[in-house]
Amino acid sequence: METDCLFCKIVNKDIESDFLYEDDTVVVFRDINPHAPIHILIVPKKHIRSINDLTDHDGEIVARMIAVAKKIAKKESINESGYKLLFNVEKGGGQVIFHLHLHLLGGWKKNKS
Ligand code: 5GP
Ligand code: ZN
């Protein structure tokens, strides 16, 4: 837990949020400023700054994040239409919250052609 970290506060329920899912490793909630009709964040409970800060011991965390993203995509009925999974890494990569998170984006209208 980093005291100045917004996502640590959300993970620890110091800030109220509606979790779509929670287990021992991750929490999942909707992005406050969605960039797609469905925009969900998968956030590890452990404070890790970014992909750059992962160690060999964090492999299970990342695997769980992706497995949960897959489950939530199905729950949100975007598994068949398709979706994007995205990590922004550091400022140049668009990261603004320096607590690792995986973006799940989808739900765009089907292309008519
Ligand atoms: P980043 O650019 O760091 O990869 O993404 C951070 C994301 O967190 C942004 O899409 C932003 O809208 C979202 N976000 C920032 N503050 C909050 C918040 O307090 N609650 C929620 N649910 N999302 C947030
Ligand atoms: Zn944190």
Side-chain angles (χ1 to χ4, degrees):
M1 163 94 192
E2 295 273 316
T3 47
D4 282 347
C5 172
L6 175 67
F7 282 5
C8 279
K9 287 180 185 151
I10 289 176
V11 163
N12 285 289
K13 297 168 182 142
D14 294 335
I15 295 175
E16 211 187 292
S17 326
D18 286 333
F19 291 161
L20 302 176
Y21 175 88
E22 179 178 11
D23 65 22
D24 290 346
T25 308
V26 300
V27 299
V28 176
F29 51 88
R30 290 190 196 278
D31 197 291
I32 204 170
N33 181 25
H35 285 74
I38 292 174
H39 187 173
I40 289 168
L41 301 173
I42 297 98
V43 180
K45 288 188 168 175
K46 179 181 174 186
H47 180 89
I48 300 166
R49 178 182 165 95
S50 84
I51 287 282
N52 283 344
D53 301 277
L54 288 171
T55 71
D56 289 347
H57 303 291
D58 294 323
E60 274 182 32
I61 294 175
V62 177
R64 177 71 66 84
M65 290 170 76
I66 295 169
V68 167
K70 176 192 136 180
K71 235 182 261 179
I72 299 291
K74 188 160 189 198
K75 225 175 172 179
E76 296 284 319
S77 305
I78 56 170
N79 54 317
E80 284 183 3
S81 57
Y83 54 90
K84 294 178 196 286
L85 296 178
L86 173 74
F87 286 106
N88 292 327
V89 183
E90 291 296 334
K91 290 190 182 88
Q95 187 175 5
V96 295
I97 306 283
F98 295 99
H99 177 132
L100 188 68
H101 51 280
L102 176 59
H103 296 258
L104 166 62
L105 301 140
W108 302 280
K109 276 201 181 117
K110 281 188 186 132
N111 198 333
K112 282 183 187 138
S113 63

